[in-house]
Amino acid sequence: MEFTTLHNEQVMLKPMEKSDIEGILEAATYPEIWRYLSITIDSLIDTQKYVANALANKESGVEFPFVIMDPKTKTIIGSTKIMDIDEKNSRLEIGFTWLTPAYWRTAVNTNCKYLLLQYCFEVLKLRRVQIKTDHENKRSQKAIERIGAQKEGVLRNHMMRKDGTIRNTVMYSVTNEDWPAVKRKLEEMIER
């Protein structure tokens, strides 16, 4: 699968590069970002490891990492990934999305999901895109449901959190049959 820079007036999703380390570090050093994620970035070393891992996974074809940029300021404001790429079954996952807190509760995440889903269904012609989150992350669940993804269920005892506790995972998906209605909903949200 081929991925490229995606953008509109609200957001730019640029393929992650090693040169993005400083910008990622500046956007990432807020502890509240990492509460539900499997890592924490709070130092240059953490950021270097995060980028090296993402780029290694990109090289092996299992992920494709983007940095999220504010097109007006040209600054990095977060990151997201295409993960669990399965070309044979025409599916993948959008995940590990984080934003610097100044962009929480803005139109940025909605625009990111719109651009990614549009690319997945209209360019890559996929059949399924999944999104998952921690069962305790109610804000993320509401955001996923708000864009029109269908809740499929909860994977019990699915993962270990970085603090050693067990995480249940709430699974969502958008299928190619869902995409026209989800697209209309997202476009209405974006136009507001």
Side-chain angles (χ1 to χ4, degrees):
M1 289 182 191
E2 189 68 33
F3 298 98
T4 185
T5 298
L6 306 173
H7 62 88
N8 62 19
E9 291 181 9
Q10 298 292 320
V11 70
M12 179 187 303
L13 301 174
K14 181 186 78 68
M16 185 183 288
E17 300 171 356
K18 191 173 182 181
S19 61
D20 294 322
I21 288 172
E22 289 295 328
I24 291 169
L25 176 60
E26 189 172 323
T29 52
Y30 297 87
E32 58 269 36
I33 294 172
W34 308 104
R35 180 172 179 196
Y36 296 107
L37 293 172
S38 59
I39 65 165
T40 299
I41 294 177
D42 62 7
S43 70
L44 179 59
I45 292 171
D46 291 339
T47 311
Q48 290 167 333
K49 287 179 188 175
Y50 171 70
V51 171
N53 186 53
L55 295 179
N57 287 337
K58 175 183 175 181
E59 188 67 31
S60 68
V62 297
E63 290 182 358
F64 192 93
F66 293 93
V67 290
I68 303 170
M69 300 186 73
D70 182 324
K72 294 170 187 77
T73 64
K74 306 286 191 249
T75 57
I76 294 173
I77 60 173
S79 181
T80 192
K81 293 180 183 181
I82 297 292
M83 309 174 348
D84 193 21
I85 298 170
D86 184 344
E87 290 188 61
K88 178 182 175 219
N89 290 300
S90 189
R91 67 174 174 82
L92 54 73
E93 178 178 330
I94 296 171
F96 213 87
T97 303
W98 61 267
L99 289 168
T100 198
Y103 288 85
W104 290 6
R105 294 180 182 85
T106 69
V108 169
N109 190 42
T110 302
N111 279 272
C112 287
K113 295 305 186 282
Y114 175 77
L115 290 171
L116 288 166
L117 289 167
Q118 181 181 45
Y119 193 79
C120 287
F121 290 116
E122 296 179 14
V123 176
L124 299 178
K125 305 294 186 193
L126 297 179
R127 289 195 301 263
R128 171 189 169 83
V129 174
Q130 70 183 31
I131 306 170
K132 66 181 187 259
T133 190
D134 189 302
H135 74 283
E136 292 182 359
N137 192 344
K138 303 298 183 195
R139 187 171 57 86
S140 181
Q141 289 173 49
K142 285 180 185 174
I144 296 166
E145 291 167 7
R146 194 171 66 87
I147 67 168
Q150 297 296 307
K151 184 175 180 179
E152 296 182 320
V154 178
L155 303 178
R156 299 177 306 142
N157 294 347
H158 183 237
M159 298 169 71
M160 292 288 290
R161 293 189 187 104
K162 61 189 167 210
D163 67 1
T165 60
I166 302 294
R167 165 185 146 162
N168 297 330
T169 297
V170 185
M171 294 293 297
Y172 295 88
S173 71
V174 177
T175 66
N176 56 334
E177 294 92 355
D178 301 332
W179 174 237
V182 170
K183 181 179 181 179
R184 280 191 303 276
K185 184 173 188 170
L186 284 166
E187 287 175 343
E188 288 171 9
M189 293 166 70
I190 289 168
E191 291 173 5
R192 285 188 210 153

